[in-house]
């Protein structure tokens, strides 16, 4: 069926359909979801288990190993890695890339069952393991609540009020706080006073614990009603606690007489936050699955505006990160890029084809884009950098089909044919080859469409949008384009028998092509030399995984020596934030100490709790200033904090890795592993291009080890538990009860008065309480010696083996540095049972590229089969596919001259470029076949066909190249844009020469001067 003939017969139907689809496209554009970057599923869960008092080694052997063994039973698991610290086991579980977002909830349920079944195997004293499968949740609206003269409790009260109201907003999923300080009641009593009164600590603890318990008190029947009995007596205020009577029936004293009860916060805190130097609480809001972050942002902004009058005086609410605002700005920027690209394409067409023809194809292009918006809306594809970039990338190919059809009709009408006959005949001869060429272009992107993993998921919309838009472009090219040509195309007045290809441009190309075919072997040799040059430059191009983001933020990650008190870390962070705040261009500085903050963007790299760790999130007024600011901050940190381990980095785009180069050693013995890792670190230090060099276990920490004497302690009735409780009471306090205040549960902690708290230097003054003898004893009566020891504070494991990673970043080309140090590191002799693996960006790149390497050959085979089907020949497809390597000539040279790295997006650009080149070659050879079938002599057919396809090929390439220009400044797309622009520029001209040359070689066609 000839679709052009159908369109011409049913013109009214076509007009109605065009109006309907155009209108639907406009409505879809208005309703379609918007994101800055496409989402990808983090297929990772965390299993956290507390084991208070246990050393990292005990945690690893008694908890982590048990949890990992249970997880290993699951067939869905890709890899397991864990961190064991003092009193805490954190096990990360990555699921295989083949599982989708929809399948994960069921997998997480299975994980919970496995973890629950393993709980009886955990040691006494270990807490219940908690499975966190919300690890990947993004809190895209992130605020700081500050109040200069307000307590943390007052800030938390306001945060609770906001949470109650904002949870009612459209598309809000949940709200989390960060940096809240646990309020406690401290009960501080003097041991000597207790001894005088004959009161034991157990009496105080027992009274505090029993007084505020919620217990059943029974029910009674009264006149047919079953009434609940609830006695009073629970704590109503802090004063009520102080008024408690302690002691026996004959001797009672008020708690306030022997103990001071006061409010405070857990010391030391688990984490701390500041915003521009003021203490703060973080407040994050996430979007429901499938929700619209822009709509949610608007709803939250309106609600906050309405609640502003209820905000307590002195409390301020600050925006740290507002995703909906950033999404709008990013999408608007890309829409502007799209509009610029469309304008460039239309102007170029008007120059090449005349204003009417150019405008006609421009209208077809706009219709294609609007219909693509409709398809994206129906397929639930959001407007974001990847999908909009795909539209810009496809612009040249979208007009390609329409150009071939319109140009063919124009030439036929110029030769004297009637418009309707010319339109029907053009679609009949070119329709199927164009369909095949379109399918080839789609197949070029199929590999990324079906690639598993987070990278494939991140880029998948590129394939969907390309496939959708190219399919629509072919449909409109064979239906709407002929119709519009008949109605609107203005044909220049020409004399009868006029040859459209007699113009100077065509004559010069014809002579050049004749010379190239005449000296065909010299032509091929020149192409080979050019290809060698392209490969040479390609070898000099740097490589990267994903580029940095254009968000106006950067991180300062800061590690003090392992074991540093959080207050010391926080004070250093205060000095750094004060300095950064004074730098020109810095807008806001958010400080997080003790652990990583809420995941406010998908690529955020969370850091587990660590008192020696801090992070600054620095907001700037222009992301282009970040490179300068980074260097300034780095120099300040190096000069002023020589013992720290700082790392200043931009926010990444897509899946990111904090340390670009990592060498992981695995085995049994930590000493051997550290010896191997130390050798790798030494190799890194010898390289001038390495920075941020470290081991992931970091430094050893000091531990005070009182040697408990069972014999001595048994004689006086002191148990090991008594010793541990006494030390805990002296240094940190013991939890002895609970105070209920509205909806808050406030722990009651017992500890000595401040003037009696023993410091580490005077640990030998500690008095140990004997629960048996009901008396205090000096610590020296139960321990033989108190000595310091050193231990590793972190034990890392990977797939159930201990592992140590040597890590660094590169000052320049990451892969070049890795290759430079790889030979020496791989030469390190490994004992039996030990292994070395490369992690970091190398592993991420391989993981992302391997699916493409597996799928792309199948896609190439599919393209080859389609071309064989089009031409019913093997030689012609071979000629066509030999054009693909020609793109390297332009790619290598272009990337090198433009100083753009060859990353993952550049690889996608190369895949797409392959489809474009094959499509151009198909159109050219198809015309040769048409001319041969019409009876032309072979050499004349080659020349005439090449000349007739010269303008469509040049226009398609030109529109694609110039249409990509707005993407060059965009970091995410610069590699792809440079690859396509430079590769297509070189390959198009070579295609117009080498395809006819190769055709003549394959079919042994000799030159004929008479046909010139």
């Amino acid at each position: 069926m000839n679709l052009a003939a159908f369109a011409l017969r049913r013109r009214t139907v076509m007009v109605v359909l065009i109006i309907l689809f155009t209108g639907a496209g406009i409505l879809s554009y208005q309703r379609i979801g918007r994101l800055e970057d496409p989402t990808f599923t983090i297929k990772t869960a965390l299993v956290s288990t507390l084991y208070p008092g246990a050393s990292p080694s005990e945690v690893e052997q008694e908890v982590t190993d048990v949890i990992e063994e249970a997880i290993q039973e699951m067939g869905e698991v890709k890899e397991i890695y864990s961190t064991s610290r003092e009193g805490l086991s954190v096990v990360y579980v990555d699921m295989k890339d083949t599982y989708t977002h929809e399948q994960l909830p069921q997998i997480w349920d299975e994980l919970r069952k496995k973890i629950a079944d393993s709980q009886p195997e955990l040691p006494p004293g270990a807490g219940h393991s908690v499975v966190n499968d919300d690890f990947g949740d993004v809190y895209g609206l992130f605020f700081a609540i500050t109040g200069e003269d307000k307590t943390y409790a007052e800030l938390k009260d306001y945060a609770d009020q906001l949470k109650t109201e904002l949870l009612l907003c459209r598309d809000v999923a949940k709200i989390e706080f960060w940096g809240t300080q646990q309020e406690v009641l401290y009960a501080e009593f003097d041991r000597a006073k207790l001894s005088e009164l004959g009161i034991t600590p157990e009496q105080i603890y027992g009274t505090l614990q029993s007084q505020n318990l919620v217990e059943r008190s029974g029910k009674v029947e009264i006149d047919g009603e079953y009434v609940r009995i609830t006695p009073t007596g629970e704590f109503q205020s802090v004063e009520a606690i102080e008024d408690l009577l302690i002691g026996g029936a004959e001797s009672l004293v008020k708690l306030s007489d022997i103990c001071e009860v006061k409010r405070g916060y857990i010391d030391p805190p688990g984490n701390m936050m500041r915003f521009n130097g003021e203490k703060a609480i973080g407040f994050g809001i996430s979007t429901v699955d499938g929700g619209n972050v822009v709509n949610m942002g608007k709803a939250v902004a309106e609600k906050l505006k309405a609640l502003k009058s209820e905000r307590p005086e002195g409390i301020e609410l600050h925006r740290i990160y507002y995703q909906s605002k950033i999404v709008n700005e990013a999408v608007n920027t890309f829409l502007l890029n799209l509009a610029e690209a469309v304008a460039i394409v239309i102007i170029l067409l008007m120059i090449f084809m005349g204003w009417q023809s150019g405008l006609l194809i421009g209208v077809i292009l706009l219709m294609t884009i609007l219909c693509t918006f409709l398809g994206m809306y129906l397929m639930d594809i959001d407007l974001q950098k990847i999908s909009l970039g795909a539209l810009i990338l496809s612009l040249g190919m979208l007009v390609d089909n329409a150009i071939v059809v319109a140009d063919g009709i124009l030439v036929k009408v110029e030769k004297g044919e009637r418009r309707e006959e010319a339109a029907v005949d053009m679609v009949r001869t070119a329709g199927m080859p164009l369909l095949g060429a379109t399918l080839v272009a789609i197949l070029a992107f199929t590999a990324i469409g079906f690639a598993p993993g987070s990278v494939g998921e991140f880029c998948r919309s590129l394939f969907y949008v390309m496939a959708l838009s190219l399919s629509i472009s072919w449909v409109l090219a064979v239906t709407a384009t002929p119709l519009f040509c008949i109605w609107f195309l203005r044909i220049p007045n020409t004399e009868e028998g006029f040859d459209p290809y007699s113009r100077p441009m065509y004559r010069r190309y014809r002579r050049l092509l004749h010379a190239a075919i005449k000296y065909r072997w010299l032509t091929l040799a020149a192409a080979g030399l050019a290809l060698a040059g392209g490969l040479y430059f390609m070898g000099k191009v740097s490589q990267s995984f994903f580029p940095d983001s254009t968000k106006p933020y950067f991180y300062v990650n800061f590690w003090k020596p392992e074991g540093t008190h959080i207050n010391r870390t926080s004070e250093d962070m205060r000095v750094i934030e004060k300095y950064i705040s004074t730098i020109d261009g810095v807008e806001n500085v958010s400080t997080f100490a003790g652990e990583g903050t809420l995941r406010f963007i998908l690529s955020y790299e969370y850091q587990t709790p660590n008192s020696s760790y801090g992070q600054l999130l620095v907001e700037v007024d222009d992301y282009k200033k970040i490179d300068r600011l980074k260097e300034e901050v780095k120099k300040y940190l190096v000069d002023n904090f020589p013992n720290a381990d700082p790392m200043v980095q931009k926010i990444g785009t897509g899946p990111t890795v904090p340390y670009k180069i990592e060498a992981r050693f695995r085995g049994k013995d930590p000493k051997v592993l550290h010896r191997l890792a130390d050798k790798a670190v030494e190799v890194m230090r010898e390289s001038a291009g390495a920075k941020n060099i470290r081991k992931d276990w970091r430094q050893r920490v000091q531990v005070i080890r009182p040697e408990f004497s069972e014999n001595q302690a048994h004689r006086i009735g002191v148990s090991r538990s008594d010793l541990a409780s006494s030390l805990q009471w002296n240094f940190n306090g013991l939890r002895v009860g609970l105070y209920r205040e509205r909806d808050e549960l406030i722990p009651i902690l017992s500890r000595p008065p401040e003037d009696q708290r023993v410091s580490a230097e005077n640990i030998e003054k500690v008095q140990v309480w004997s629960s048996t003898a009901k008396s205090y004893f000096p610590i020296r009566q139960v321990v033989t010696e108190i000595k310091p020891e050193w231990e590793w504070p972190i034990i890392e494991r990977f797939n159930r083996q201990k592992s140590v990673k040597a890590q660094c970043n590169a000052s320049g080309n990451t892969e070049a540095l890795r290759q430079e140090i790889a030979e020496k590191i791989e030469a390190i002799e490994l004992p039996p049972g030990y292994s070395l693996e490369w992690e970091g960006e190398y592993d991420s790149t391989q993981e992302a590229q391997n699916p493409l390497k597996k799928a792309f050959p199948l896609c190439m085979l599919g393209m080859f089969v389609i071309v064989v089907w089009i031409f019913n020949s093997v030689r012609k497809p071979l000629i066509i596919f030999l054009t693909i390597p020609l793109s390297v000539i332009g790619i290598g040279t272009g990337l090198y001259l433009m100083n753009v790295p060859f990353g993952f997006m550049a690889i996608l650009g190369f895949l797409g470029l392959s489809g474009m080149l094959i499509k151009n070659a198909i159109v050219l050879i198809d015309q040769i076949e048409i001319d041969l079938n019409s009876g032309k002599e072979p050499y004349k057919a080659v020349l005439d066909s090449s000349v007739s396809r010269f303008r469509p090929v040049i226009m398609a390439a030109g529109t694609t190249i110039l249409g990509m220009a707005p993407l060059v400044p965009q970091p995410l797309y610069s590699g792809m844009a440079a690859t396509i622009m430079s590769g297509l520029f070189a390959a198009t001209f070579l295609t117009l020469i080498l395809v006819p040359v190769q055709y003549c070689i394959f079919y042994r066609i000799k030159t004929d001067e008479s046909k010139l």
Side-chain angles (χ1 to χ4, degrees):
M1 177 182 178
N2 191 312
L3 292 177
F6 171 82
L8 295 180
R9 286 197 308 270
R10 304 280 185 171
R11 300 187 186 191
T12 303
V13 173
M14 285 298 301
V15 170
V16 171
L17 288 175
I18 288 170
I19 293 172
L20 285 176
F21 279 106
T22 302
I26 295 171
L27 290 175
S28 298
Y29 167 74
Q30 295 171 343
R31 298 182 180 182
I32 199 167
R34 283 163 166 76
L35 291 172
E36 182 184 10
D37 296 311
T39 59
F40 56 90
T41 305
I42 296 179
K43 301 180 178 71
T44 303
L46 266 68
V47 183
S48 304
T49 311
L50 291 172
Y51 190 10
S55 68
S57 180
E58 290 169 332
V59 170
E60 182 223 358
Q61 295 168 16
E62 300 175 30
V63 177
T64 302
D65 191 65
V66 173
I67 298 298
E68 289 182 348
E69 186 175 349
I71 295 170
Q72 189 179 351
E73 298 173 10
M74 297 179 62
E76 299 90 345
V77 172
K78 175 184 176 184
E79 57 191 30
I80 306 169
Y81 45 103
S82 63
T83 301
S84 299
R85 292 179 175 273
E86 172 214 341
L88 175 65
S89 164
V90 180
V91 180
Y92 297 82
V93 191
D94 284 356
M95 296 303 166
K96 291 176 181 175
D97 293 331
T98 51
Y99 295 104
T100 63
H101 174 74
E102 291 73 23
Q103 294 172 303
L104 283 178
Q106 186 176 349
I107 295 173
W108 299 143
D109 287 342
E110 180 66 21
L111 175 64
R112 284 191 173 85
K113 290 177 185 176
K114 293 291 182 185
I115 298 301
D117 291 344
S118 71
Q119 297 304 287
E121 300 176 41
L122 296 179
H128 187 78
S129 299
V130 178
V131 179
N132 178 13
D133 59 8
D134 296 334
F135 181 62
D137 284 359
V138 176
Y139 298 88
L141 305 188
F142 193 19
F143 299 89
I145 300 174
T146 63
E148 187 175 350
D149 300 321
K150 301 295 181 180
T151 64
Y152 278 108
E154 290 172 318
L155 297 180
K156 175 69 162 46
D157 286 342
Y158 177 63
D160 286 331
Q161 294 173 25
L162 284 182
K163 181 176 181 179
T164 302
E165 294 291 339
L166 295 179
L167 280 172
L168 303 176
C169 290
R170 177 182 177 184
D171 287 344
V172 169
K174 61 181 179 180
I175 295 174
E176 291 289 340
F177 303 144
W178 198 95
T180 56
Q181 303 302 308
Q182 176 63 61
E183 193 174 9
V184 295
L185 292 182
Y186 285 110
E188 299 179 351
F189 60 81
D190 188 326
R191 290 189 304 264
K193 188 176 287 188
L194 291 189
S195 299
E196 289 175 12
L197 296 172
I199 297 174
T200 66
E202 282 94 337
Q203 287 177 287
I204 298 176
Y205 301 162
T207 303
L208 290 172
Q209 287 173 354
S210 62
Q211 193 73 18
N212 218 34
L213 290 176
V214 176
E215 296 182 296
R216 290 169 56 180
S217 308
K219 290 187 175 184
V220 65
E221 182 182 355
I222 302 177
D223 297 331
E225 292 187 24
Y226 204 37
V227 180
R228 181 168 60 90
I229 302 171
T230 305
T232 62
E234 67 273 9
F235 301 138
Q236 298 294 332
S237 64
V238 175
E239 289 74 20
I241 298 175
E242 293 176 330
D243 290 340
L244 277 175
L245 295 177
I246 306 294
E250 298 178 358
S251 175
L252 294 174
V253 296
K254 277 187 178 183
L255 183 62
S256 59
D257 292 337
I258 57 172
C259 178
E260 181 184 1
V261 180
K262 58 184 180 182
R263 285 180 180 267
Y265 299 96
I266 285 286
D267 184 27
N271 54 42
M272 303 168 71
M273 177 180 174
R274 288 188 296 275
F275 181 81
N276 289 338
E278 290 188 61
K279 67 183 178 186
I281 289 178
F283 186 90
I285 307 176
S286 68
T287 314
V288 294
D289 195 18
N292 188 313
V293 69
V294 175
N295 292 337
M296 184 192 77
K298 290 178 181 177
V300 168
E302 290 171 3
K303 177 65 75 172
L304 288 175
K305 187 176 180 181
L307 294 172
K308 189 174 182 180
S309 60
E310 300 177 22
R311 186 186 304 163
E313 187 177 351
I315 291 181
E316 297 294 333
L317 184 67
H318 311 271
R319 290 184 180 183
I320 297 177
Y321 186 85
Y322 210 75
Q323 189 179 25
S324 59
K325 176 175 177 286
I326 291 174
V327 165
N328 267 330
E329 291 173 354
V331 170
N332 288 340
T333 298
F334 261 79
L335 286 172
L336 178 62
N337 290 340
L338 178 62
E340 290 171 349
V342 170
I344 289 169
V345 168
I346 292 175
I347 291 170
L348 191 66
L349 290 171
M350 292 171 69
I351 293 172
F352 268 94
M353 300 183 69
W355 73 269
Q356 276 192 322
S357 301
L359 200 57
L360 185 149
I361 295 175
V363 171
I364 298 293
L365 174 60
L366 291 174
M367 287 171 53
T368 304
I369 293 172
L370 289 174
C371 289
T372 302
F373 284 145
L374 173 60
M376 290 170 64
Y377 178 74
L378 296 175
M379 294 172 66
D380 198 25
I381 299 172
D382 297 318
L383 287 178
Q384 24 82 357
K385 284 182 179 177
I386 296 292
S387 59
L388 283 170
L391 270 177
I392 298 173
L393 169 63
S394 64
L395 284 180
M397 291 183 279
L398 295 185
V399 297
D400 197 5
N401 290 326
I403 285 173
V404 171
V405 172
D407 187 68
I409 294 172
L410 180 64
V411 170
K412 286 178 179 294
V413 173
E414 283 181 338
K415 289 182 177 180
E417 292 187 31
R418 292 180 60 249
R419 291 187 181 222
E420 287 80 358
E421 292 174 359
V424 172
D425 183 55
M426 187 62 206
V427 172
R428 183 178 62 251
T429 56
M432 294 312 293
L434 285 177
L435 176 60
T438 301
L439 292 176
V440 165
I442 292 172
L443 274 173
F445 291 95
T446 303
I448 189 59
F450 294 96
S454 56
V455 175
E457 196 174 349
F458 183 78
C459 298
R460 192 156 295 150
S461 59
L462 180 78
F463 164 71
Y464 290 145
V465 173
M466 292 294 293
L468 189 63
S469 59
L470 287 172
S471 301
I472 292 170
S473 77
W474 179 82
V475 173
L476 291 176
V478 297
T479 55
T481 302
L483 188 62
F484 283 11
C485 284
I486 288 171
W487 281 346
F488 305 114
L489 192 60
R490 179 177 174 272
I491 310 299
N493 295 323
T494 56
E495 299 176 3
E496 188 175 345
F498 171 74
D499 181 7
Y501 303 116
S502 61
R503 296 185 176 97
M505 176 179 66
Y506 295 115
R507 290 202 302 270
R508 282 193 290 270
Y509 168 61
R510 192 181 186 97
R511 286 194 294 269
L512 176 63
L513 181 58
H514 169 71
I517 296 174
K518 183 176 181 179
Y519 303 103
R520 58 192 68 183
W521 300 113
L522 185 61
T523 302
L524 289 181
L529 286 174
L531 182 58
L535 290 171
Y536 170 78
F537 284 115
M538 198 71 187
K540 290 186 169 294
V541 173
S542 62
Q543 296 185 23
S544 69
F545 184 39
F546 269 99
D548 293 319
S549 171
T550 57
K551 294 181 178 72
Y553 297 86
F554 68 92
Y555 302 121
V556 179
N557 291 303
F558 185 80
W559 286 270
K560 294 278 287 178
E562 198 66 27
T564 302
H565 195 285
I566 189 170
N567 290 339
R568 293 286 183 90
T569 305
S570 178
E571 286 309 307
D572 279 0
M573 300 293 289
R574 188 183 296 278
V575 174
I576 298 168
E577 75 191 24
K578 186 176 181 181
Y579 167 75
I580 293 177
S581 299
T582 62
I583 301 176
D584 181 50
V586 172
E587 297 269 294
N588 297 299
V589 181
S590 303
T591 305
F592 312 99
E595 66 175 309
T597 187
L598 297 175
R599 187 187 295 276
F600 62 95
I601 54 172
L602 196 56
S603 61
Y604 181 75
E605 193 73 21
Y606 170 74
Q607 294 288 329
T608 53
N610 185 346
S611 63
S612 62
Y613 171 74
Q615 183 182 67
L616 299 174
L617 177 63
V618 183
E619 182 181 1
V620 299
D621 56 14
D622 185 355
Y623 82 93
K624 295 176 183 176
K625 296 180 181 179
I626 291 178
D627 287 328
R628 173 182 61 82
L629 294 173
K630 275 177 56 184
E631 295 306 314
E632 193 171 337
V633 172
K634 273 189 220 172
K635 185 177 184 307
Y636 174 80
L637 293 173
V638 170
D639 292 344
N640 293 275
F641 299 92
N643 295 326
D645 182 13
M647 183 168 68
V648 185
Q649 62 182 144
K650 290 182 177 179
I651 288 180
T653 297
T656 56
V657 285
Y659 287 92
K660 307 295 185 184
I661 300 175
E662 294 181 319
R664 173 190 279 129
F665 296 92
R666 285 200 283 163
K668 292 182 179 180
D669 190 345
K671 292 181 180 178
V672 175
L673 289 173
H674 282 287
R675 187 173 70 249
L676 297 172
D678 286 337
K679 291 180 180 179
V681 166
E682 189 60 34
V683 172
M684 292 175 177
R685 293 192 192 282
E686 290 172 357
S687 174
K691 62 180 183 179
N692 305 130
I693 303 167
R694 59 175 257 175
K695 291 190 301 185
D696 61 343
W697 285 35
R698 307 204 65 227
Q699 308 92 354
R700 284 172 169 252
V701 297
Q702 194 175 38
V703 178
I704 298 173
R705 184 83 69 186
E707 291 288 337
F708 181 69
S709 172
E710 187 69 39
N711 291 333
Q712 291 177 215
H714 186 70
R715 290 193 190 99
I716 58 177
V718 174
S719 66
R720 186 174 183 273
S721 178
D722 288 336
L723 174 61
S725 296
S726 296
L727 290 169
Q728 177 71 19
W729 182 77
N730 270 278
F731 292 106
N732 302 101
L734 283 174
R735 180 167 174 166
V736 296
L738 202 62
Y739 170 57
R740 288 179 169 81
E741 189 173 64
R742 300 189 302 276
D743 59 343
E744 297 288 334
L745 299 178
I746 301 176
I748 302 174
L749 266 63
S750 174
R751 67 182 183 183
E754 186 174 358
D755 60 347
Q756 294 182 21
R757 281 176 224 154
V758 181
S759 64
E761 291 79 11
N762 300 317
I763 191 171
E764 294 194 6
K765 295 180 180 180
V766 167
Q767 297 290 308
V768 180
W769 172 258
S770 169
S771 56
T772 303
K774 307 299 182 185
S775 180
Y776 287 101
F777 296 92
I779 193 172
R780 269 300 182 181
Q781 292 191 23
V782 295
V783 301
T784 56
E785 64 175 323
I786 301 172
K787 61 181 181 180
E789 289 186 0
W790 294 89
E791 70 177 12
W792 290 107
I794 304 170
I795 298 178
E796 300 284 354
R797 287 164 55 121
F798 182 79
N799 285 341
R800 309 214 52 212
Q801 282 187 302
K802 289 184 180 69
S803 72
V804 180
K805 288 192 287 190
Q807 304 169 308
C808 73
N809 283 314
S811 301
N813 187 332
T814 297
E815 182 56 21
L817 175 62
R818 192 197 70 83
Q819 290 177 4
E820 176 190 328
I821 63 177
E823 186 176 349
K824 292 181 180 178
I825 291 178
E826 289 171 359
I828 297 172
E829 185 177 350
L830 301 177
Y834 291 80
S835 61
L836 165 66
E837 301 152 332
W838 288 103
E839 291 287 317
E841 191 172 276
Y842 173 79
D843 180 65
S844 299
T845 302
Q846 294 301 311
E847 193 173 309
Q849 291 180 8
N850 284 339
L852 297 183
K853 292 175 182 177
K854 293 176 182 177
F856 191 61
L858 294 176
C859 296
M860 291 294 287
L861 179 61
M863 295 182 207
F864 190 81
V865 170
I866 289 174
V867 179
V868 169
W869 169 71
I870 293 173
F871 294 110
N872 192 28
S873 165
V874 173
R875 281 189 288 181
K876 295 181 183 70
L878 285 175
I879 295 169
I880 290 171
F881 276 78
L882 284 172
T883 62
I884 295 176
L886 302 176
S887 60
V888 176
I889 299 170
I891 293 173
T893 308
L895 292 178
Y896 178 76
L897 293 176
M898 295 170 72
N899 195 27
V900 175
F902 189 75
F904 187 78
M905 297 302 288
I907 293 173
L908 297 187
F910 176 74
L911 300 184
L913 181 59
S914 303
M916 297 177 198
L917 297 179
I918 293 172
K919 189 175 182 183
N920 285 341
I922 286 174
V923 171
L924 179 53
I925 291 185
D926 176 64
Q927 187 60 45
I928 294 175
E929 292 298 300
I930 292 172
D931 285 356
L932 285 172
N933 292 332
S934 68
K936 286 187 180 180
E937 294 181 20
Y939 188 64
K940 180 173 175 56
V942 169
L943 291 180
D944 287 352
S945 301
S946 300
V947 169
S948 68
R949 286 290 170 252
F950 177 75
R951 182 167 68 174
V953 169
I954 289 293
M955 278 195 298
T959 53
T960 302
I961 291 169
L962 292 179
M964 293 293 290
L967 289 183
V968 173
Q970 299 291 334
L972 179 62
Y973 274 101
S974 60
M976 177 184 282
T979 298
I980 291 176
M981 292 173 73
S982 56
L984 191 59
F985 178 80
T988 296
F989 290 103
L990 290 170
T991 298
L992 287 169
I993 299 296
L994 288 182
V995 168
V997 168
Q998 290 175 146
Y999 191 94
C1000 290
I1001 291 173
F1002 271 70
Y1003 287 93
R1004 296 186 177 89
I1005 299 174
K1006 296 181 179 180
T1007 54
D1008 185 351
E1009 300 285 345
S1010 64
K1011 307 301 180 185
L1012 184 59

